[in-house]
Amino acid sequence: MAKLWGGRFSGGLDPIAWEYNASLSFDWRLAEVDVRGSIAWAKALMKAGVITLDEQHQIVKGLTDILAEIRAGQFVHAPSDEDVHTAIERRLTELTGPVGGKLHTGRSRNDQVATDFALWLVEAVDRVDAFLKLVQSALVERAESDMDILLPGYTHFQQSQPILLSHWWLSHFWPLARDRQRLAQLRERAAVLPLGSGALAGTPFPIDRQFLANQLGFKAISPNSIDAVSNRDSAAEFLFAAALIAIHLSRLSEMLILYTSAEFGFIELSDAYSTGSSLMPQKKNPDTLELTRGKSGTMIGRLTGLLSVLKGLPSAYDKDLQEDKIPVFETSDTLCLMLPVVAGVIKTLKVRPDRMEAALNPATLATDLADYLVKKGVPFREAHGLVGKAVRRANDLETTLDRLPLAEFESISPAFDAGTLQVFDFHASVARRDVPGGTGPAAVQVQLQQARAFLHSHKVRSSVPPAETPHGGDGS
Ligand code: ARG
């Protein structure tokens, strides 16, 4: 088989070594961006006087036909296709004859693959961003509709203080807002053009790199060719951003899983997002949420995997870098399922306000009781101790703090009085926390406005996440 780099070789590659070396089975996903990059390169070659306008037209026509084949899933691979780049160049030569052989002038697969990957990453970022917005919108909708519902807030997973359910939903909105900001920032850094860097030293032809950048939608051109061909920072950043998104969703999932258990019964998942047991007829399992928790672990693994590949690499391109794609593709695919699934779970679950309020223990108002004493002039540290004694006394008498007789309170301290028992009002406790960012209803309304404003100002670049090119014709 005719390899594109076969000139200096007399013997063929061992078939298993060929298989080992080839990346077509996974890098075919770069086919569309590879064609885009090549069309821009052909134009730049013409501008540089390397090929004629007629040759440019022939090459662009060939590449456009190839794009149609790719999109229709009709691109036929040859056994000699080592990777997406060689496959497309081979097909171009079949379609255009020797002129196709001029396309790779002054270019290396090293700057080509870095360019393709950057183009692909920018699109992946936009897809993930659009899906993230779906989850954010689902959280805002819940915060709006669940406005007056109270539940216990937990620290150390012990009941701590009452909170508004809306406040809790929004506590999962803001991490995703930071994730979207992070994606926007890494998108900027990814959109830097490596093409023109050649193998490592730069192309020797008078290529207008700014023209190339404009053609491909890049904001800047790479300042150093050696760095440009081996820079995989954006891939690593993408994997980090993705892992953190997954961790945020995993933490939400963990709570929702607990809340679906019979012991809590705070929420019920829709049938559309739960599964049954093959043995136990009564079971309704939160598999979608468990998978979210589990897949977040796999995503952390992909990030550490790529970082490990990068860590000891010598200067410029090394074949190790071919290992960059699988984790990035897999992570992107995972997110494009995980995010809409989590959005669906949030939108369709049923909240049980009765169960939430019934779970509220009056002891969650112990801080409010201490604050009541503070208002009467007792130093907080002392008030804390007095209320602590009351909690212990209630425990000893096997009652709850709100049922402890006033006489008992008064025997602990004369600072307790008839107003003491009025503190035991969960709604009043929440309402007092109207500080900006707090769980008070007025503060949560302001927060809701801020969340809506974020959604409004952080527009997605494509409203419906576009489907990717089907994996066609690579036999994988
Ligand atoms: N398939 C290779 C990759 O994904 C393309 C670059 C190959 N460059 C080379 N000099 N062999 O990294």
Side-chain angles (χ1 to χ4, degrees), residues 5 21-24 26-27 30 82-86 108-114 199 232 317-325:
W5 39 261
N21 191 51
S23 53
L24 186 70
F26 52 87
D27 69 14
L30 298 175
E82 177 185 325
D83 57 21
V84 61
H85 324 289
T86 53
S108 159
R109 276 185 296 161
N110 299 352
D111 59 347
Q112 187 179 359
V113 73
R232 296 296 183 274
Y317 181 85
D318 305 277
K319 192 67 171 236
D320 316 46
L321 288 172
Q322 185 167 280
E323 292 289 303
D324 59 357
K325 286 166 211 69

Side-chain angles (χ1 to χ4, degrees), residues 1-2 16 58 122 133 152 183 196 217 236 345 350 356 364 384 438:
M1 41 190 160
I16 297 177
Q58 290 181 56
V122 165
K133 189 169 187 175
L183 286 176
V345 167
K350 212 169 92 196
M356 293 184 175
T364 58
H384 186 285

